[in-house]
């Protein structure tokens, strides 16, 4: 019985409901090349620079919703990635953060900001990036470390959460908090739809980066 309850909880619905979109994001040309260690320093710096405004708005909205009666329980400054991204950019792009003005980034940022009008939808964006960083992100960090021979973590702070001892129990707690959110069935449906949209916005960003792959070849 318990298993059935877990399968139908919001956390499980967010995961299964976005499986196709996860696979699509994962298998984009840019991500594929990144995972194979074929993207050079410029390419990884552009990737971080593209994600920077996304995390800036995630963290700005998080701060505003920290005391929200419904979604406030999901907010945790221990997840914040902006400072880590800036530290990493300093090592991948020492000459300064690349200017990656981008339609995909602008659309993603606007979509996150718009959730201020309907905070339950913010949870979808929070989940997609932060639980991703604590899941596949950990593998991406390890792969990058191997590809670039990084042994001291320099440039890979994005994947290292000082405030979180172990990803697994943290993710279990996160899913439990998702399942306890006081949201209606219609809101749950809307959150699952928004997760799929969030993955689509990530894919769009990777497709844009993928157009520069020739330039990013190692
Ligand atoms: C590029 C290569 C990627 C790989 C290899 C990858 C791999 C994985 C794996 C193995 C898991 C399951 C981990 C677990 O059960 O603890 C996972 C979960 C997840 N990934 Fe990815 N991923 C990738 C890209 C992405 C991207 C681009 C996003 C979103 C922007 C993302 C978001 C997520 C989320 C939200 C979860 C948590 C699912 C859940 O348990 O509810 N992943 N990923």
């Amino acid at each position: 019985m318990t298993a059935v309850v877990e399968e139908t909880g919001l956390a499980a619905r967010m995961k299964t409901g976005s499986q196709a979109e996860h696979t699509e994001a994962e298998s984009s040309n840019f991500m594929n090349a990144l995972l194979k260690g074929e993207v050079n320093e410029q390419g990884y710096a552009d990737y971080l620079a593209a994600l920077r405004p996304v995390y800036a708005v995630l963290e700005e909205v998080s701060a505003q919703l920290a005391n929200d009666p419904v979604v406030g329980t999901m907010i945790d400054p221990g997840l914040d990635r902006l400072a880590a991204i800036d530290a990493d950019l300093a090592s991948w792009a020492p000459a300064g953060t690349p200017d990656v003005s981008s339609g995909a980034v602008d659309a993603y940022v606007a979509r996150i900001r718009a959730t201020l009008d309907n905070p339950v939808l913010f949870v979808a964006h929070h989940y997609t990036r932060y639980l991703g960083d604590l899941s596949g992100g950990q593998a991406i960090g390890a792969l990058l470390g191997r590809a670039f021979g990084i042994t001291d973590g320099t440039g890979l702070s994005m994947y290292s959460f000082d405030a979180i001892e172990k990803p697994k129990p943290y993710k279990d707690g996160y899913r439990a908090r998702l399942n306890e959110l006081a949201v209606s069935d219609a809101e749950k449906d809307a959150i699952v739809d928004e997760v799929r949209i969030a993955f689509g916005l990530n894919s769009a960003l990777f497709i844009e980066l993928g157009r520069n792959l020739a330039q990013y070849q190692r």
Side-chain angles (χ1 to χ4, degrees):
M1 284 302 278
T2 318
V4 174
V5 172
E6 278 172 15
E7 302 255 315
T8 53
L10 177 60
R13 287 194 53 201
M14 289 165 82
K15 180 173 188 164
T16 49
S18 62
Q19 234 148 35
E21 288 77 8
H22 183 279
T23 304
E24 198 176 318
E26 212 179 328
S27 48
S28 62
N29 287 341
F30 180 82
M31 271 298 161
N32 252 318
L34 188 70
L35 293 178
K36 282 196 259 168
E38 291 172 2
V39 169
N40 65 16
E41 285 85 348
Q42 185 202 347
Y44 188 63
D46 283 4
Y47 170 78
L48 286 176
L51 285 177
R52 191 186 186 285
V54 171
Y55 283 89
V57 71
L58 278 173
E59 284 156 32
E60 183 192 320
V61 176
S62 288
Q64 292 189 55
L65 296 178
N67 297 315
D68 183 89
V70 181
V71 304
T73 52
M74 301 312 303
I75 309 297
D76 175 3
L79 290 168
D80 286 357
R81 296 292 84 201
L82 196 54
I85 289 173
D86 283 340
D88 291 350
L89 274 165
S91 89
W92 294 91
T97 298
D99 175 12
V100 288
S101 41
S102 140
V105 172
D106 293 349
Y108 195 173
V109 167
R111 186 81 193 190
I112 295 171
R113 195 180 298 285
T115 64
L116 273 172
D117 294 333
N118 189 2
V120 297
L121 295 185
F122 179 67
V123 167
H125 293 280
H126 192 269
Y127 160 86
T128 303
R129 281 300 336 172
Y130 294 121
L131 225 59
D133 293 334
L134 285 166
S135 305
Q138 298 299 300
I140 297 174
L143 272 155
L144 281 170
R146 275 199 296 280
F148 287 90
I150 300 167
T151 50
D152 62 357
T154 304
L156 300 176
S157 340
M158 169 87 176
Y159 312 103
S160 146
F161 289 79
D162 292 344
I164 295 170
E165 212 178 317
K166 284 189 179 149
K168 169 84 172 82
Y170 186 89
K171 288 195 292 182
D172 289 344
Y174 187 96
R175 293 189 189 103
R177 294 200 295 284
L178 280 175
N179 289 337
E180 281 158 17
L181 288 177
V183 288
S184 67
D185 286 346
E187 284 172 326
K188 285 181 193 166
D189 291 345
I191 292 171
V192 175
D193 286 346
E194 192 73 13
V195 173
R196 303 175 63 203
I197 287 169
F199 270 103
L201 290 162
N202 279 278
S203 287
L205 196 152
F206 303 150
I207 287 167
E208 261 191 14
L209 287 166
R211 296 202 184 106
N212 304 326
L213 267 182
Q215 201 180 317
Y216 296 157
Q217 229 26 259
R218 285 180 84 192

PDB file of all heavy atoms in Angstrom, residues 150-177:
ATOM      1  N   ILE A 150      40.843  17.694 -13.240  1.00  0.00           N
ATOM      2  CA  ILE A 150      40.724  18.561 -12.052  1.00  0.00           C
ATOM      3  C   ILE A 150      40.698  17.660 -10.812  1.00  0.00           C
ATOM      4  O   ILE A 150      39.830  16.786 -10.698  1.00  0.00           O
ATOM      5  CB  ILE A 150      39.434  19.409 -12.121  1.00  0.00           C
ATOM      6  CG1 ILE A 150      39.447  20.292 -13.368  1.00  0.00           C
ATOM      7  CG2 ILE A 150      39.272  20.247 -10.856  1.00  0.00           C
ATOM      8  CD1 ILE A 150      38.099  20.925 -13.694  1.00  0.00           C
ATOM      9  N   THR A 151      41.625  17.863  -9.916  1.00  0.00           N
ATOM     10  CA  THR A 151      41.685  16.976  -8.753  1.00  0.00           C
ATOM     11  C   THR A 151      41.328  17.712  -7.462  1.00  0.00           C
ATOM     12  O   THR A 151      41.064  17.076  -6.436  1.00  0.00           O
ATOM     13  CB  THR A 151      43.103  16.373  -8.597  1.00  0.00           C
ATOM     14  OG1 THR A 151      44.045  17.448  -8.663  1.00  0.00           O
ATOM     15  CG2 THR A 151      43.389  15.362  -9.695  1.00  0.00           C
ATOM     16  N   ASP A 152      41.309  19.042  -7.508  1.00  0.00           N
ATOM     17  CA  ASP A 152      41.041  19.794  -6.271  1.00  0.00           C
ATOM     18  C   ASP A 152      39.683  20.503  -6.287  1.00  0.00           C
ATOM     19  O   ASP A 152      39.390  21.324  -5.423  1.00  0.00           O
ATOM     20  CB  ASP A 152      42.155  20.819  -6.036  1.00  0.00           C
ATOM     21  CG  ASP A 152      42.218  21.847  -7.162  1.00  0.00           C
ATOM     22  OD1 ASP A 152      41.436  21.712  -8.138  1.00  0.00           O
ATOM     23  OD2 ASP A 152      43.037  22.777  -7.068  1.00  0.00           O
ATOM     24  N   GLY A 153      38.840  20.165  -7.266  1.00  0.00           N
ATOM     25  CA  GLY A 153      37.490  20.753  -7.305  1.00  0.00           C
ATOM     26  C   GLY A 153      37.419  22.160  -7.879  1.00  0.00           C
ATOM     27  O   GLY A 153      36.323  22.712  -8.009  1.00  0.00           O
ATOM     28  N   THR A 154      38.556  22.725  -8.248  1.00  0.00           N
ATOM     29  CA  THR A 154      38.534  24.090  -8.791  1.00  0.00           C
ATOM     30  C   THR A 154      37.684  24.138 -10.058  1.00  0.00           C
ATOM     31  O   THR A 154      37.870  23.331 -10.972  1.00  0.00           O
ATOM     32  CB  THR A 154      39.967  24.576  -9.132  1.00  0.00           C
ATOM     33  OG1 THR A 154      40.757  24.454  -7.954  1.00  0.00           O
ATOM     34  CG2 THR A 154      39.973  26.021  -9.606  1.00  0.00           C
ATOM     35  N   GLY A 155      36.730  25.083 -10.079  1.00  0.00           N
ATOM     36  CA  GLY A 155      35.869  25.236 -11.249  1.00  0.00           C
ATOM     37  C   GLY A 155      34.650  24.331 -11.223  1.00  0.00           C
ATOM     38  O   GLY A 155      33.812  24.384 -12.121  1.00  0.00           O
ATOM     39  N   LEU A 156      34.543  23.498 -10.188  1.00  0.00           N
ATOM     40  CA  LEU A 156      33.420  22.560 -10.126  1.00  0.00           C
ATOM     41  C   LEU A 156      32.554  22.776  -8.872  1.00  0.00           C
ATOM     42  O   LEU A 156      31.883  21.851  -8.411  1.00  0.00           O
ATOM     43  CB  LEU A 156      33.933  21.107 -10.186  1.00  0.00           C
ATOM     44  CG  LEU A 156      34.717  20.742 -11.458  1.00  0.00           C
ATOM     45  CD1 LEU A 156      35.274  19.318 -11.370  1.00  0.00           C
ATOM     46  CD2 LEU A 156      33.833  20.875 -12.700  1.00  0.00           C
ATOM     47  N   SER A 157      32.560  23.988  -8.343  1.00  0.00           N
ATOM     48  CA  SER A 157      31.766  24.264  -7.128  1.00  0.00           C
ATOM     49  C   SER A 157      30.271  24.110  -7.366  1.00  0.00           C
ATOM     50  O   SER A 157      29.514  23.857  -6.433  1.00  0.00           O
ATOM     51  CB  SER A 157      31.983  25.680  -6.601  1.00  0.00           C
ATOM     52  OG  SER A 157      33.140  26.241  -7.056  1.00  0.00           O
ATOM     53  N   MET A 158      29.872  24.283  -8.632  1.00  0.00           N
ATOM     54  CA  MET A 158      28.459  24.127  -8.996  1.00  0.00           C
ATOM     55  C   MET A 158      27.877  22.807  -8.476  1.00  0.00           C
ATOM     56  O   MET A 158      26.703  22.718  -8.145  1.00  0.00           O
ATOM     57  CB  MET A 158      28.396  24.161 -10.534  1.00  0.00           C
ATOM     58  CG  MET A 158      27.097  23.772 -11.154  1.00  0.00           C
ATOM     59  SD  MET A 158      26.053  25.205 -11.273  1.00  0.00           S
ATOM     60  CE  MET A 158      24.633  24.550 -12.126  1.00  0.00           C
ATOM     61  N   TYR A 159      28.720  21.777  -8.421  1.00  0.00           N
ATOM     62  CA  TYR A 159      28.242  20.437  -8.054  1.00  0.00           C
ATOM     63  C   TYR A 159      28.535  20.077  -6.605  1.00  0.00           C
ATOM     64  O   TYR A 159      28.328  18.941  -6.188  1.00  0.00           O
ATOM     65  CB  TYR A 159      28.858  19.393  -9.014  1.00  0.00           C
ATOM     66  CG  TYR A 159      28.698  19.849 -10.444  1.00  0.00           C
ATOM     67  CD1 TYR A 159      29.768  20.401 -11.165  1.00  0.00           C
ATOM     68  CD2 TYR A 159      27.447  19.812 -11.051  1.00  0.00           C
ATOM     69  CE1 TYR A 159      29.587  20.876 -12.458  1.00  0.00           C
ATOM     70  CE2 TYR A 159      27.264  20.290 -12.335  1.00  0.00           C
ATOM     71  CZ  TYR A 159      28.330  20.819 -13.025  1.00  0.00           C
ATOM     72  OH  TYR A 159      28.147  21.303 -14.298  1.00  0.00           O
ATOM     73  N   SER A 160      29.073  21.049  -5.884  1.00  0.00           N
ATOM     74  CA  SER A 160      29.439  20.750  -4.511  1.00  0.00           C
ATOM     75  C   SER A 160      28.599  21.613  -3.562  1.00  0.00           C
ATOM     76  O   SER A 160      28.645  22.845  -3.614  1.00  0.00           O
ATOM     77  CB  SER A 160      30.951  20.970  -4.387  1.00  0.00           C
ATOM     78  OG  SER A 160      31.284  21.448  -3.143  1.00  0.00           O
ATOM     79  N   PHE A 161      27.800  20.939  -2.756  1.00  0.00           N
ATOM     80  CA  PHE A 161      26.870  21.624  -1.851  1.00  0.00           C
ATOM     81  C   PHE A 161      27.420  21.540  -0.432  1.00  0.00           C
ATOM     82  O   PHE A 161      27.230  20.521   0.249  1.00  0.00           O
ATOM     83  CB  PHE A 161      25.489  20.962  -1.931  1.00  0.00           C
ATOM     84  CG  PHE A 161      24.758  21.205  -3.222  1.00  0.00           C
ATOM     85  CD1 PHE A 161      25.072  20.476  -4.368  1.00  0.00           C
ATOM     86  CD2 PHE A 161      23.760  22.174  -3.313  1.00  0.00           C
ATOM     87  CE1 PHE A 161      24.399  20.697  -5.564  1.00  0.00           C
ATOM     88  CE2 PHE A 161      23.088  22.406  -4.504  1.00  0.00           C
ATOM     89  CZ  PHE A 161      23.411  21.663  -5.630  1.00  0.00           C
ATOM     90  N   ASP A 162      28.073  22.605  -0.001  1.00  0.00           N
ATOM     91  CA  ASP A 162      28.691  22.586   1.331  1.00  0.00           C
ATOM     92  C   ASP A 162      27.675  22.351   2.448  1.00  0.00           C
ATOM     93  O   ASP A 162      27.994  21.732   3.457  1.00  0.00           O
ATOM     94  CB  ASP A 162      29.430  23.906   1.592  1.00  0.00           C
ATOM     95  CG  ASP A 162      30.639  24.040   0.677  1.00  0.00           C
ATOM     96  OD1 ASP A 162      31.052  23.010   0.100  1.00  0.00           O
ATOM     97  OD2 ASP A 162      31.144  25.176   0.528  1.00  0.00           O
ATOM     98  N   ALA A 163      26.456  22.863   2.241  1.00  0.00           N
ATOM     99  CA  ALA A 163      25.455  22.795   3.310  1.00  0.00           C
ATOM    100  C   ALA A 163      24.708  21.456   3.323  1.00  0.00           C
ATOM    101  O   ALA A 163      23.890  21.212   4.202  1.00  0.00           O
ATOM    102  CB  ALA A 163      24.458  23.945   3.153  1.00  0.00           C
ATOM    103  N   ILE A 164      24.985  20.610   2.320  1.00  0.00           N
ATOM    104  CA  ILE A 164      24.267  19.337   2.223  1.00  0.00           C
ATOM    105  C   ILE A 164      25.269  18.201   2.346  1.00  0.00           C
ATOM    106  O   ILE A 164      26.151  18.044   1.496  1.00  0.00           O
ATOM    107  CB  ILE A 164      23.490  19.256   0.887  1.00  0.00           C
ATOM    108  CG1 ILE A 164      22.393  20.334   0.878  1.00  0.00           C
ATOM    109  CG2 ILE A 164      22.896  17.862   0.660  1.00  0.00           C
ATOM    110  CD1 ILE A 164      21.702  20.528  -0.442  1.00  0.00           C
ATOM    111  N   GLU A 165      25.132  17.422   3.403  1.00  0.00           N
ATOM    112  CA  GLU A 165      26.137  16.395   3.650  1.00  0.00           C
ATOM    113  C   GLU A 165      26.134  15.307   2.578  1.00  0.00           C
ATOM    114  O   GLU A 165      27.158  15.007   1.988  1.00  0.00           O
ATOM    115  CB  GLU A 165      25.917  15.801   5.050  1.00  0.00           C
ATOM    116  CG  GLU A 165      27.221  15.378   5.671  1.00  0.00           C
ATOM    117  CD  GLU A 165      27.016  14.831   7.056  1.00  0.00           C
ATOM    118  OE1 GLU A 165      26.234  15.428   7.831  1.00  0.00           O
ATOM    119  OE2 GLU A 165      27.622  13.781   7.347  1.00  0.00           O
ATOM    120  N   LYS A 166      24.941  14.762   2.304  1.00  0.00           N
ATOM    121  CA  LYS A 166      24.832  13.719   1.278  1.00  0.00           C
ATOM    122  C   LYS A 166      23.596  13.980   0.424  1.00  0.00           C
ATOM    123  O   LYS A 166      22.505  14.162   0.972  1.00  0.00           O
ATOM    124  CB  LYS A 166      24.684  12.339   1.938  1.00  0.00           C
ATOM    125  CG  LYS A 166      25.974  11.791   2.493  1.00  0.00           C
ATOM    126  CD  LYS A 166      25.773  10.357   2.919  1.00  0.00           C
ATOM    127  CE  LYS A 166      27.075   9.784   3.461  1.00  0.00           C
ATOM    128  NZ  LYS A 166      26.840   8.788   4.498  1.00  0.00           N
ATOM    129  N   PRO A 167      23.746  13.961  -0.906  1.00  0.00           N
ATOM    130  CA  PRO A 167      22.582  14.227  -1.764  1.00  0.00           C
ATOM    131  C   PRO A 167      21.393  13.292  -1.520  1.00  0.00           C
ATOM    132  O   PRO A 167      20.254  13.745  -1.474  1.00  0.00           O
ATOM    133  CB  PRO A 167      23.129  14.048  -3.191  1.00  0.00           C
ATOM    134  CG  PRO A 167      24.593  14.315  -3.076  1.00  0.00           C
ATOM    135  CD  PRO A 167      24.974  13.827  -1.699  1.00  0.00           C
ATOM    136  N   LYS A 168      21.646  12.001  -1.349  1.00  0.00           N
ATOM    137  CA  LYS A 168      20.537  11.030  -1.288  1.00  0.00           C
ATOM    138  C   LYS A 168      19.521  11.349  -0.176  1.00  0.00           C
ATOM    139  O   LYS A 168      18.333  11.514  -0.459  1.00  0.00           O
ATOM    140  CB  LYS A 168      21.115   9.607  -1.173  1.00  0.00           C
ATOM    141  CG  LYS A 168      20.132   8.520  -0.843  1.00  0.00           C
ATOM    142  CD  LYS A 168      19.397   7.974  -2.087  1.00  0.00           C
ATOM    143  CE  LYS A 168      18.567   6.756  -1.768  1.00  0.00           C
ATOM    144  NZ  LYS A 168      17.264   7.076  -1.189  1.00  0.00           N
ATOM    145  N   PRO A 169      19.967  11.442   1.097  1.00  0.00           N
ATOM    146  CA  PRO A 169      18.966  11.752   2.131  1.00  0.00           C
ATOM    147  C   PRO A 169      18.339  13.136   1.949  1.00  0.00           C
ATOM    148  O   PRO A 169      17.158  13.327   2.256  1.00  0.00           O
ATOM    149  CB  PRO A 169      19.753  11.685   3.450  1.00  0.00           C
ATOM    150  CG  PRO A 169      21.179  11.492   3.095  1.00  0.00           C
ATOM    151  CD  PRO A 169      21.265  11.083   1.668  1.00  0.00           C
ATOM    152  N   TYR A 170      19.124  14.073   1.408  1.00  0.00           N
ATOM    153  CA  TYR A 170      18.553  15.400   1.176  1.00  0.00           C
ATOM    154  C   TYR A 170      17.419  15.298   0.154  1.00  0.00           C
ATOM    155  O   TYR A 170      16.336  15.869   0.339  1.00  0.00           O
ATOM    156  CB  TYR A 170      19.608  16.407   0.688  1.00  0.00           C
ATOM    157  CG  TYR A 170      19.025  17.804   0.588  1.00  0.00           C
ATOM    158  CD1 TYR A 170      19.057  18.659   1.694  1.00  0.00           C
ATOM    159  CD2 TYR A 170      18.386  18.239  -0.576  1.00  0.00           C
ATOM    160  CE1 TYR A 170      18.476  19.915   1.629  1.00  0.00           C
ATOM    161  CE2 TYR A 170      17.804  19.482  -0.648  1.00  0.00           C
ATOM    162  CZ  TYR A 170      17.854  20.327   0.454  1.00  0.00           C
ATOM    163  OH  TYR A 170      17.274  21.564   0.399  1.00  0.00           O
ATOM    164  N   LYS A 171      17.667  14.540  -0.932  1.00  0.00           N
ATOM    165  CA  LYS A 171      16.641  14.412  -1.975  1.00  0.00           C
ATOM    166  C   LYS A 171      15.411  13.690  -1.432  1.00  0.00           C
ATOM    167  O   LYS A 171      14.282  14.028  -1.780  1.00  0.00           O
ATOM    168  CB  LYS A 171      17.214  13.655  -3.192  1.00  0.00           C
ATOM    169  CG  LYS A 171      18.204  14.494  -3.976  1.00  0.00           C
ATOM    170  CD  LYS A 171      18.489  13.897  -5.342  1.00  0.00           C
ATOM    171  CE  LYS A 171      19.233  12.597  -5.244  1.00  0.00           C
ATOM    172  NZ  LYS A 171      19.557  12.028  -6.569  1.00  0.00           N
ATOM    173  N   ASP A 172      15.615  12.717  -0.552  1.00  0.00           N
ATOM    174  CA  ASP A 172      14.471  12.020   0.061  1.00  0.00           C
ATOM    175  C   ASP A 172      13.636  13.011   0.882  1.00  0.00           C
ATOM    176  O   ASP A 172      12.405  13.010   0.817  1.00  0.00           O
ATOM    177  CB  ASP A 172      14.950  10.870   0.963  1.00  0.00           C
ATOM    178  CG  ASP A 172      15.523   9.710   0.149  1.00  0.00           C
ATOM    179  OD1 ASP A 172      15.283   9.666  -1.081  1.00  0.00           O
ATOM    180  OD2 ASP A 172      16.220   8.858   0.734  1.00  0.00           O
ATOM    181  N   GLY A 173      14.308  13.850   1.642  1.00  0.00           N
ATOM    182  CA  GLY A 173      13.609  14.851   2.455  1.00  0.00           C
ATOM    183  C   GLY A 173      12.882  15.854   1.566  1.00  0.00           C
ATOM    184  O   GLY A 173      11.751  16.265   1.858  1.00  0.00           O
ATOM    185  N   TYR A 174      13.545  16.231   0.481  1.00  0.00           N
ATOM    186  CA  TYR A 174      12.960  17.191  -0.466  1.00  0.00           C
ATOM    187  C   TYR A 174      11.664  16.611  -1.048  1.00  0.00           C
ATOM    188  O   TYR A 174      10.637  17.282  -1.100  1.00  0.00           O
ATOM    189  CB  TYR A 174      13.974  17.472  -1.567  1.00  0.00           C
ATOM    190  CG  TYR A 174      13.589  18.572  -2.542  1.00  0.00           C
ATOM    191  CD1 TYR A 174      14.057  19.876  -2.369  1.00  0.00           C
ATOM    192  CD2 TYR A 174      12.789  18.312  -3.650  1.00  0.00           C
ATOM    193  CE1 TYR A 174      13.730  20.884  -3.275  1.00  0.00           C
ATOM    194  CE2 TYR A 174      12.452  19.304  -4.551  1.00  0.00           C
ATOM    195  CZ  TYR A 174      12.923  20.591  -4.364  1.00  0.00           C
ATOM    196  OH  TYR A 174      12.591  21.586  -5.260  1.00  0.00           O
ATOM    197  N   ARG A 175      11.728  15.330  -1.454  1.00  0.00           N
ATOM    198  CA  ARG A 175      10.539  14.682  -2.024  1.00  0.00           C
ATOM    199  C   ARG A 175       9.428  14.576  -0.982  1.00  0.00           C
ATOM    200  O   ARG A 175       8.252  14.741  -1.301  1.00  0.00           O
ATOM    201  CB  ARG A 175      10.889  13.294  -2.557  1.00  0.00           C
ATOM    202  CG  ARG A 175      11.808  13.336  -3.759  1.00  0.00           C
ATOM    203  CD  ARG A 175      11.949  11.954  -4.390  1.00  0.00           C
ATOM    204  NE  ARG A 175      12.989  11.940  -5.403  1.00  0.00           N
ATOM    205  CZ  ARG A 175      14.202  11.430  -5.229  1.00  0.00           C
ATOM    206  NH1 ARG A 175      14.518  10.865  -4.073  1.00  0.00           N
ATOM    207  NH2 ARG A 175      15.096  11.476  -6.187  1.00  0.00           N
ATOM    208  N   ALA A 176       9.823  14.323   0.270  1.00  0.00           N
ATOM    209  CA  ALA A 176       8.803  14.235   1.331  1.00  0.00           C
ATOM    210  C   ALA A 176       8.122  15.598   1.504  1.00  0.00           C
ATOM    211  O   ALA A 176       6.896  15.680   1.663  1.00  0.00           O
ATOM    212  CB  ALA A 176       9.451  13.785   2.642  1.00  0.00           C
ATOM    213  N   ARG A 177       8.922  16.683   1.423  1.00  0.00           N
ATOM    214  CA  ARG A 177       8.323  18.019   1.551  1.00  0.00           C
ATOM    215  C   ARG A 177       7.408  18.316   0.363  1.00  0.00           C
ATOM    216  O   ARG A 177       6.356  18.926   0.529  1.00  0.00           O
ATOM    217  CB  ARG A 177       9.412  19.093   1.687  1.00  0.00           C
ATOM    218  CG  ARG A 177      10.208  18.987   2.979  1.00  0.00           C
ATOM    219  CD  ARG A 177      10.919  20.276   3.352  1.00  0.00           C
ATOM    220  NE  ARG A 177      11.952  20.688   2.415  1.00  0.00           N
ATOM    221  CZ  ARG A 177      13.170  20.136   2.327  1.00  0.00           C
ATOM    222  NH1 ARG A 177      13.493  19.128   3.119  1.00  0.00           N
ATOM    223  NH2 ARG A 177      14.055  20.598   1.465  1.00  0.00           N
TER     224      ARG A 177
END
